Amino acid sequence: MSQDSRIPRFHARPLSERQAILGERETSEETKRFLGQGQTGLEVLDVMSENVVGRTELPLSVALNFRVNGRDVLVPMSVEEPSVVAAASHAAKLVRAGGGFVGEADRGIMTAQVQLDGVPEPKIARGRVHENRAQLLAAANEAIPNMVARGGGCIDADARVLDEREGVFVVHLYVDVGDAMGANLVDTVAEAVAPLIQTWVGGDIGLRILSNLPLRRMIRVGCRIPSDALGITPSAVARASRFAELDPFRAVTHNKGIMNAIDAVAVAMGQDWRSIEAGAHAFAAMSGSYRPLATWKVVDDGLEGRLEMPLAVATVGGSTRALPGIRAAFDLMRPGSAGELGLIMGAAGMACNLAALRALAGEGIQKGHMRLHRRKTEGTHS
Protein backbone atom coordinates (compact mmCIF):
# COMPACT_ATOMS: atom_id res chain seq x y z
CA MET A 1 0.00 0.00 0.00
CA SER A 2 1.37 3.39 -0.99
CA GLN A 3 1.77 5.84 1.88
CA ASP A 4 0.77 9.47 1.56
CA SER A 5 3.56 11.77 2.72
CA ARG A 6 1.06 14.55 3.46
CA ILE A 7 -0.26 14.45 7.02
CA PRO A 8 -2.17 17.68 7.73
CA ARG A 9 -1.29 19.50 10.95
CA PHE A 10 1.18 16.76 11.89
CA HIS A 11 3.52 19.22 13.61
CA ALA A 12 0.68 20.62 15.73
CA ARG A 13 -0.46 17.26 17.12
CA PRO A 14 0.78 15.89 20.46
CA LEU A 15 3.80 13.59 20.33
CA SER A 16 1.74 10.53 21.29
CA GLU A 17 -0.67 11.23 18.43
CA ARG A 18 2.16 11.64 15.92
CA GLN A 19 3.60 8.30 17.05
CA ALA A 20 0.17 6.67 16.73
CA ILE A 21 -0.33 8.01 13.20
CA LEU A 22 2.95 6.50 12.03
CA GLY A 23 2.29 3.30 13.98
CA GLU A 24 -0.96 2.79 12.07
CA ARG A 25 0.96 2.60 8.79
CA GLU A 26 2.49 -0.53 7.34
CA THR A 27 5.36 -0.67 9.79
CA SER A 28 6.96 -3.57 11.62
CA GLU A 29 6.16 -4.41 15.21
CA GLU A 30 9.72 -3.39 16.09
CA THR A 31 9.12 0.06 14.59
CA LYS A 32 5.87 0.43 16.51
CA ARG A 33 7.70 -0.42 19.74
CA PHE A 34 10.53 1.99 18.93
CA LEU A 35 8.10 4.82 18.26
CA GLY A 36 6.67 4.18 21.70
CA GLN A 37 9.93 4.14 23.66
CA GLY A 38 12.91 5.03 21.47
CA GLN A 39 15.86 3.99 23.62
CA THR A 40 18.80 1.74 22.77
CA GLY A 41 20.44 -0.24 25.55
CA LEU A 42 24.05 0.59 26.35
CA GLU A 43 25.03 -3.05 25.82
CA VAL A 44 24.16 -2.60 22.12
CA LEU A 45 26.04 0.67 21.83
CA ASP A 46 29.08 -0.78 23.59
CA VAL A 47 29.83 -3.13 20.69
CA MET A 48 29.40 -0.38 18.08
CA SER A 49 32.24 1.89 19.21
CA GLU A 50 35.26 2.11 21.48
CA ASN A 51 35.39 3.34 25.09
CA VAL A 52 31.59 3.69 25.30
CA VAL A 53 30.43 5.37 28.52
CA GLY A 54 26.90 6.48 27.65
CA ARG A 55 24.75 7.84 24.87
CA THR A 56 24.04 11.19 23.30
CA GLU A 57 20.66 11.72 21.72
CA LEU A 58 19.17 13.40 18.68
CA PRO A 59 15.49 13.56 17.78
CA LEU A 60 14.18 11.25 15.07
CA SER A 61 11.80 13.35 13.00
CA VAL A 62 10.04 12.85 9.69
CA ALA A 63 9.90 15.45 6.93
CA LEU A 64 6.57 15.33 5.11
CA ASN A 65 5.08 16.12 1.69
CA PHE A 66 7.87 14.53 -0.36
CA ARG A 67 7.15 12.92 -3.70
CA VAL A 68 10.23 11.52 -5.47
CA ASN A 69 9.94 9.94 -8.92
CA GLY A 70 6.20 9.62 -8.44
CA ARG A 71 6.35 7.94 -5.02
CA ASP A 72 5.28 9.57 -1.78
CA VAL A 73 7.92 9.07 0.91
CA LEU A 74 8.38 9.97 4.53
CA VAL A 75 11.89 11.33 5.03
CA PRO A 76 13.45 10.50 8.44
CA MET A 77 15.83 13.13 9.80
CA SER A 78 18.00 13.21 12.91
CA VAL A 79 19.04 16.77 13.64
CA GLU A 80 18.91 19.12 16.61
CA GLU A 81 17.84 22.12 14.50
CA PRO A 82 14.02 22.20 14.12
CA SER A 83 14.03 24.60 11.17
CA VAL A 84 15.69 21.93 8.97
CA VAL A 85 12.71 19.57 9.24
CA ALA A 86 10.15 22.36 9.02
CA ALA A 87 11.83 23.97 6.01
CA ALA A 88 12.19 20.70 4.11
CA SER A 89 8.54 19.77 4.72
CA HIS A 90 7.26 23.18 3.64
CA ALA A 91 9.37 23.36 0.49
CA ALA A 92 8.45 19.78 -0.46
CA LYS A 93 4.79 20.84 -0.34
CA LEU A 94 5.55 23.64 -2.81
CA VAL A 95 7.40 21.22 -5.10
CA ARG A 96 4.42 18.84 -5.08
CA ALA A 97 2.46 21.48 -6.96
CA GLY A 98 4.84 20.91 -9.87
CA GLY A 99 4.70 17.11 -9.64
CA GLY A 100 7.40 16.51 -7.05
CA PHE A 101 11.09 15.76 -7.40
CA VAL A 102 12.47 13.67 -10.25
CA GLY A 103 15.95 12.25 -10.58
CA GLU A 104 18.35 9.53 -11.51
CA ALA A 105 21.23 7.84 -9.73
CA ASP A 106 24.32 6.21 -11.18
CA ARG A 107 25.22 2.63 -10.35
CA GLY A 108 26.94 2.06 -7.02
CA ILE A 109 30.47 2.42 -8.37
CA MET A 110 33.17 3.31 -5.88
CA THR A 111 36.79 4.26 -6.55
CA ALA A 112 39.79 2.44 -5.07
CA GLN A 113 43.20 4.15 -5.18
CA VAL A 114 46.61 2.46 -5.27
CA GLN A 115 49.42 4.98 -4.91
CA LEU A 116 53.09 4.32 -5.69
CA ASP A 117 56.12 6.53 -5.13
CA GLY A 118 59.41 6.54 -7.02
CA VAL A 119 58.01 4.98 -10.20
CA PRO A 120 60.95 5.30 -12.61
CA GLU A 121 59.05 6.01 -15.84
CA PRO A 122 55.55 7.08 -14.83
CA LYS A 123 54.32 7.93 -18.34
CA ILE A 124 55.39 4.51 -19.61
CA ALA A 125 53.86 2.99 -16.47
CA ARG A 126 50.45 4.31 -17.47
CA GLY A 127 50.69 2.36 -20.70
CA ARG A 128 51.65 -0.81 -18.83
CA VAL A 129 48.60 -0.54 -16.62
CA HIS A 130 46.41 -0.09 -19.69
CA GLU A 131 48.01 -3.05 -21.46
CA ASN A 132 47.39 -5.28 -18.45
CA ARG A 133 43.92 -3.98 -17.65
CA ALA A 134 42.16 -7.34 -18.11
CA GLN A 135 44.58 -9.07 -15.75
CA LEU A 136 44.20 -6.25 -13.24
CA LEU A 137 40.39 -6.48 -13.23
CA ALA A 138 40.56 -10.26 -12.85
CA ALA A 139 42.90 -9.97 -9.86
CA ALA A 140 40.66 -7.35 -8.29
CA ASN A 141 37.58 -9.53 -8.65
CA GLU A 142 39.36 -12.55 -7.18
CA ALA A 143 39.64 -10.53 -3.97
CA ILE A 144 35.86 -9.94 -3.70
CA PRO A 145 34.17 -13.15 -4.95
CA ASN A 146 30.95 -12.61 -2.98
CA MET A 147 30.36 -9.21 -4.57
CA VAL A 148 31.08 -10.66 -8.01
CA ALA A 149 28.56 -13.43 -7.31
CA ARG A 150 25.95 -10.77 -6.49
CA GLY A 151 26.50 -9.10 -9.87
CA GLY A 152 29.03 -6.46 -8.85
CA GLY A 153 32.79 -6.30 -8.97
CA CYS A 154 35.59 -4.31 -10.54
CA ILE A 155 34.53 -2.99 -13.95
CA ASP A 156 37.25 -0.54 -14.99
CA ALA A 157 40.66 0.90 -14.15
CA ASP A 158 42.86 3.81 -15.16
CA ALA A 159 46.11 5.43 -14.04
CA ARG A 160 47.34 8.98 -13.40
CA VAL A 161 50.74 10.59 -13.03
CA LEU A 162 50.63 13.00 -10.09
CA ASP A 163 54.28 14.08 -10.12
CA GLU A 164 56.50 12.92 -12.99
CA ARG A 165 59.76 14.07 -11.42
CA GLU A 166 59.14 12.25 -8.13
CA GLY A 167 57.42 9.31 -9.81
CA VAL A 168 54.18 9.70 -7.84
CA PHE A 169 51.69 7.46 -9.59
CA VAL A 170 48.14 6.34 -8.79
CA VAL A 171 45.90 3.64 -10.22
CA HIS A 172 42.12 3.93 -9.88
CA LEU A 173 39.95 0.82 -9.82
CA TYR A 174 36.20 1.24 -10.22
CA VAL A 175 34.14 -1.26 -8.27
CA ASP A 176 30.39 -1.81 -8.55
CA VAL A 177 29.38 -2.40 -4.92
CA GLY A 178 25.62 -2.61 -5.54
CA ASP A 179 23.54 -1.28 -2.66
CA ALA A 180 26.47 -1.20 -0.21
CA MET A 181 28.48 1.89 0.60
CA GLY A 182 31.48 -0.23 -0.34
CA ALA A 183 34.38 1.22 1.66
CA ASN A 184 35.63 -2.13 2.97
CA LEU A 185 35.19 -3.78 -0.42
CA VAL A 186 37.26 -1.26 -2.32
CA ASP A 187 39.92 -1.19 0.39
CA THR A 188 40.19 -4.96 -0.01
CA VAL A 189 40.60 -4.55 -3.77
CA ALA A 190 43.28 -1.86 -3.41
CA GLU A 191 45.35 -3.93 -1.00
CA ALA A 192 45.00 -7.08 -3.10
CA VAL A 193 46.19 -5.64 -6.42
CA ALA A 194 48.94 -3.30 -5.22
CA PRO A 195 51.77 -5.89 -5.41
CA LEU A 196 50.70 -6.88 -8.94
CA ILE A 197 50.75 -3.26 -10.11
CA GLN A 198 54.18 -2.83 -8.55
CA THR A 199 55.57 -5.68 -10.67
CA TRP A 200 54.54 -3.75 -13.79
CA VAL A 201 55.58 -0.21 -12.87
CA GLY A 202 58.18 -0.49 -10.09
CA GLY A 203 58.46 2.04 -7.29
CA ASP A 204 57.33 1.72 -3.69
CA ILE A 205 53.76 0.91 -2.70
CA GLY A 206 52.11 3.77 -0.84
CA LEU A 207 48.48 4.17 0.15
CA ARG A 208 45.78 1.67 -0.79
CA ILE A 209 42.38 3.10 0.08
CA LEU A 210 39.03 4.22 -1.28
CA SER A 211 38.41 7.76 -2.47
CA ASN A 212 35.50 9.63 -0.92
CA LEU A 213 35.05 11.48 -4.21
CA PRO A 214 33.00 8.83 -6.10
CA LEU A 215 32.53 10.60 -9.42
CA ARG A 216 30.99 7.50 -10.97
CA ARG A 217 28.32 7.42 -8.24
CA MET A 218 26.42 10.64 -8.90
CA ILE A 219 22.83 11.67 -8.25
CA ARG A 220 20.95 14.23 -10.32
CA VAL A 221 17.68 15.65 -8.98
CA GLY A 222 15.38 18.27 -10.43
CA CYS A 223 12.01 19.93 -9.81
CA ARG A 224 9.72 22.68 -11.06
CA ILE A 225 7.50 24.91 -8.97
CA PRO A 226 4.67 26.87 -10.64
CA SER A 227 4.80 30.60 -10.00
CA ASP A 228 1.45 30.64 -8.22
CA ALA A 229 2.62 27.98 -5.75
CA LEU A 230 5.97 29.59 -4.93
CA GLY A 231 4.66 32.52 -2.90
CA ILE A 232 7.45 34.78 -4.17
CA THR A 233 8.55 35.86 -7.63
CA PRO A 234 10.71 33.14 -9.27
CA SER A 235 13.25 35.76 -10.28
CA ALA A 236 13.94 36.60 -6.63
CA VAL A 237 14.93 32.99 -5.90
CA ALA A 238 16.91 32.74 -9.13
CA ARG A 239 18.88 35.89 -8.24
CA ALA A 240 19.71 34.44 -4.83
CA SER A 241 20.89 31.26 -6.54
CA ARG A 242 22.99 33.24 -9.02
CA PHE A 243 24.75 34.94 -6.10
CA ALA A 244 26.03 31.47 -5.04
CA GLU A 245 27.26 30.78 -8.59
CA LEU A 246 29.29 33.99 -8.59
CA ASP A 247 30.69 34.05 -5.04
CA PRO A 248 32.32 31.17 -3.14
CA PHE A 249 31.66 32.95 0.17
CA ARG A 250 27.94 32.65 -0.56
CA ALA A 251 28.24 29.23 -2.23
CA VAL A 252 29.62 27.59 0.91
CA THR A 253 26.61 28.77 2.94
CA HIS A 254 24.27 27.80 0.08
CA ASN A 255 25.75 24.29 0.13
CA LYS A 256 25.69 24.13 3.92
CA GLY A 257 21.92 24.57 3.69
CA ILE A 258 21.72 21.64 1.28
CA MET A 259 23.85 19.49 3.57
CA ASN A 260 21.67 20.43 6.57
CA ALA A 261 19.03 18.08 5.19
CA ILE A 262 21.29 15.51 3.54
CA ASP A 263 23.30 15.03 6.74
CA ALA A 264 20.14 14.81 8.85
CA VAL A 265 18.78 12.03 6.65
CA ALA A 266 22.19 10.35 6.61
CA VAL A 267 22.36 10.26 10.41
CA ALA A 268 18.80 8.92 10.69
CA MET A 269 19.52 6.21 8.10
CA GLY A 270 22.88 5.11 9.53
CA GLN A 271 24.98 6.49 6.66
CA ASP A 272 28.58 7.75 6.71
CA TRP A 273 27.76 11.46 6.75
CA ARG A 274 31.45 12.41 7.06
CA SER A 275 32.23 10.76 3.73
CA ILE A 276 29.16 12.39 2.16
CA GLU A 277 30.25 15.83 3.35
CA ALA A 278 33.82 15.36 2.11
CA GLY A 279 32.71 14.22 -1.33
CA ALA A 280 30.12 16.98 -1.70
CA HIS A 281 32.52 19.82 -0.96
CA ALA A 282 35.34 18.33 -3.03
CA PHE A 283 32.95 18.07 -5.98
CA ALA A 284 31.82 21.66 -5.44
CA ALA A 285 35.44 22.82 -5.78
CA MET A 286 36.51 20.67 -8.75
CA SER A 287 36.21 23.45 -11.31
CA GLY A 288 38.88 25.43 -9.46
CA SER A 289 36.31 27.70 -7.84
CA TYR A 290 33.89 26.59 -5.14
CA ARG A 291 30.45 26.22 -6.75
CA PRO A 292 26.85 25.57 -5.60
CA LEU A 293 25.60 21.98 -5.69
CA ALA A 294 22.10 23.14 -6.61
CA THR A 295 21.01 25.99 -8.87
CA TRP A 296 17.63 27.59 -9.55
CA LYS A 297 16.49 29.33 -12.73
CA VAL A 298 13.36 31.06 -14.01
CA VAL A 299 11.39 29.07 -16.59
CA ASP A 300 8.17 29.90 -18.45
CA ASP A 301 5.85 28.39 -15.86
CA GLY A 302 7.81 29.25 -12.71
CA LEU A 303 11.06 28.10 -11.12
CA GLU A 304 13.29 25.15 -12.00
CA GLY A 305 15.93 23.63 -9.74
CA ARG A 306 18.75 21.18 -10.42
CA LEU A 307 21.11 19.40 -8.05
CA GLU A 308 24.07 17.21 -8.97
CA MET A 309 26.56 15.67 -6.55
CA PRO A 310 28.40 12.44 -5.71
CA LEU A 311 26.57 10.44 -3.07
CA ALA A 312 27.70 7.07 -1.71
CA VAL A 313 24.96 5.63 0.49
CA ALA A 314 23.83 2.13 1.37
CA THR A 315 20.74 0.09 2.07
CA VAL A 316 22.78 -2.96 3.14
CA GLY A 317 25.84 -3.41 5.32
CA GLY A 318 27.60 -0.91 7.54
CA SER A 319 25.35 0.61 10.20
CA THR A 320 22.16 0.35 8.14
CA ARG A 321 20.64 -2.23 10.48
CA ALA A 322 22.69 -1.70 13.62
CA LEU A 323 20.21 0.17 15.82
CA PRO A 324 16.43 0.07 16.32
CA GLY A 325 16.12 3.76 15.39
CA ILE A 326 17.90 3.22 12.08
CA ARG A 327 15.77 0.16 11.34
CA ALA A 328 12.65 2.22 12.12
CA ALA A 329 13.86 4.98 9.78
CA PHE A 330 14.30 2.45 6.96
CA ASP A 331 10.86 1.03 7.71
CA LEU A 332 9.31 4.49 7.44
CA MET A 333 11.09 5.50 4.23
CA ARG A 334 11.37 2.07 2.53
CA PRO A 335 13.94 2.91 -0.15
CA GLY A 336 14.07 0.21 -2.81
CA SER A 337 17.79 0.62 -3.45
CA ALA A 338 20.81 2.68 -2.50
CA GLY A 339 20.19 4.77 -5.61
CA GLU A 340 16.65 5.61 -4.50
CA LEU A 341 17.91 6.48 -1.02
CA GLY A 342 20.42 8.85 -2.61
CA LEU A 343 17.71 10.53 -4.69
CA ILE A 344 15.50 11.04 -1.65
CA MET A 345 18.44 12.56 0.23
CA GLY A 346 19.17 14.84 -2.72
CA ALA A 347 15.50 15.89 -2.83
CA ALA A 348 15.65 16.73 0.88
CA GLY A 349 18.75 18.84 0.26
CA MET A 350 17.03 20.70 -2.58
CA ALA A 351 13.97 21.31 -0.42
CA CYS A 352 16.01 22.90 2.38
CA ASN A 353 17.91 24.98 -0.16
CA LEU A 354 14.69 26.21 -1.77
CA ALA A 355 13.22 27.10 1.61
CA ALA A 356 16.35 29.04 2.57
CA LEU A 357 16.54 30.98 -0.72
CA ARG A 358 12.84 31.75 -0.60
CA ALA A 359 13.18 33.12 2.94
CA LEU A 360 16.39 35.03 2.23
CA ALA A 361 14.91 36.66 -0.86
CA GLY A 362 11.75 37.54 1.05
CA GLU A 363 11.28 38.20 4.74
CA GLY A 364 14.78 37.08 5.73
CA ILE A 365 15.95 33.90 7.42
CA GLN A 366 15.60 34.92 11.06
CA LYS A 367 11.85 35.23 11.51
CA GLY A 368 10.90 31.57 11.19
CA HIS A 369 14.27 30.28 12.35
CA MET A 370 14.20 32.20 15.62
CA ARG A 371 10.58 31.28 16.32
CA LEU A 372 11.52 27.60 16.25
CA HIS A 373 14.76 28.27 18.11
CA ARG A 374 12.87 29.97 20.95
CA ARG A 375 10.53 27.00 21.22
CA LYS A 376 13.53 24.68 21.50
CA THR A 377 15.36 26.71 24.14
CA GLU A 378 12.25 27.46 26.17
CA GLY A 379 11.37 23.75 26.14
CA THR A 380 14.89 22.87 27.26
CA HIS A 381 14.77 25.14 30.31
CA SER A 382 11.14 24.70 31.28
Side-chain angles (χ1 to χ4, degrees), residues 238-363:
R239 286 196 302 271
S241 175
R242 180 62 176 156
F243 181 15
E245 292 183 69
L246 296 172
D247 181 24
F249 288 86
R250 171 57 204 156
V252 72
T253 312
H254 180 101
N255 287 345
K256 188 267 183 183
I258 294 168
M259 301 311 294
N260 276 344
I262 290 177
D263 286 348
V265 182
V267 172
M269 306 295 287
Q271 307 298 311
D272 185 351
W273 60 269
R274 288 89 46 193
S275 122
I276 292 168
E277 278 275 345
H281 295 297
F283 178 72
M286 284 197 70
S287 68
S289 176
Y290 190 87
R291 305 278 294 171
L293 297 169
T295 56
W296 301 85
K297 300 186 184 303
V298 176
V299 291
D300 290 342
D301 57 349
L303 185 71
E304 179 180 80
R306 297 283 178 194
L307 176 142
E308 182 178 24
M309 62 181 288
L311 194 56
V313 294
T315 54
V316 297
S319 297
T320 59
R321 297 293 185 269
L323 295 172
I326 296 172
R327 293 194 291 271
F330 267 93
D331 197 18
L332 292 169
M333 181 192 286
R334 300 192 175 183
S337 65
E340 185 184 18
L341 172 57
L343 292 179
I344 293 168
M345 292 170 69
M350 285 194 78
C352 267
N353 185 226
L354 172 62
L357 295 182
R358 186 173 172 272
L360 287 165
E363 65 182 13

